[in-house]
Amino acid sequence: MPYEIIREPQGIHKRFWGIVTADEFLSSVGQFHSDPRFENIRYTINDFSETEAFTMGEGGILDTAAINIGATFVNPKYRILAVTSDPVIIAMARKYDQITQMPPILLFATLTEARDWVQSSA
C-alpha cells in the first residue's frame, strides 16, 4: 500500500509514494469518505510529492469523480488539495475538474504551500 492517511483536526492528509495505481487511490478515497468525521472535514490534501508514477487513467478519474460527486451531498464544503509538480498528475486534476463541476482541485508545488492555504482559509 503506497499511501498513508493522516487524520488532522479539520481534515485529512493522504501521503502517497512510489507507484500509485487507480485501485490504490480509490481505496484511499473510500477510506477518507468513510471517516466518521467526514461530514465536518474541511479539506483533504493528496500529497503526491514522493510518487514515482500515478497510473490513474481516464477510467480511474471517472470513478473518483463519481464517488466525490456523491460525497458532496454529505459534505459540500470540503476542498481537495493536491501537492505535485508532476505534469501528468496536474493534467489528471484538470480532467477531473472538467468532469465534476465541483470546486476545482487546488494545486500546490509544496506541502508548505498547501498548509498555508489551509491556515488562511480557517
Side-chain angles (χ1 to χ4, degrees):
M1 175 174 75
Y3 69 89
E4 71 175 324
I5 296 176
I6 304 157
R7 286 162 176 76
E8 301 180 347
Q10 297 182 2
I12 299 287
H13 174 199
K14 294 189 294 182
R15 188 177 72 86
F16 298 90
W17 61 87
I19 298 170
V20 181
T21 67
D23 287 342
E24 291 161 339
F25 184 76
L26 288 167
S27 175
S28 80
V29 171
Q31 288 179 28
F32 165 60
H33 289 173
S34 65
D35 186 304
R37 303 174 309 133
F38 177 74
E39 65 187 40
N40 296 312
I41 287 175
R42 288 187 33 245
Y43 63 88
T44 179
I45 299 173
N46 292 306
D47 183 355
F48 297 104
S49 58
E50 296 178 49
T51 58
E52 296 170 31
F54 186 36
T55 61
M56 177 65 91
E58 185 145 348
I61 295 170
L62 292 171
D63 290 344
T64 303
I67 292 167
N68 282 335
I69 289 168
T72 60
F73 289 101
V74 175
N75 182 351
K77 300 173 290 196
Y78 87 94
R79 293 297 306 264
I80 300 170
L81 291 72
V83 177
T84 188
S85 57
D86 183 323
V88 172
I89 296 173
I90 292 169
M92 286 185 222
R94 295 298 175 230
K95 178 72 172 176
Y96 172 91
D97 290 343
Q98 292 172 351
I99 294 167
T100 64
Q101 298 180 12
M102 292 171 50
I105 295 173
L106 301 172
L107 296 167
F108 300 94
T110 68
L111 183 58
T112 300
E113 291 172 359
R115 294 248 180 247
D116 289 346
W117 181 90
V118 168
Q119 290 300 321
S120 70
S121 68

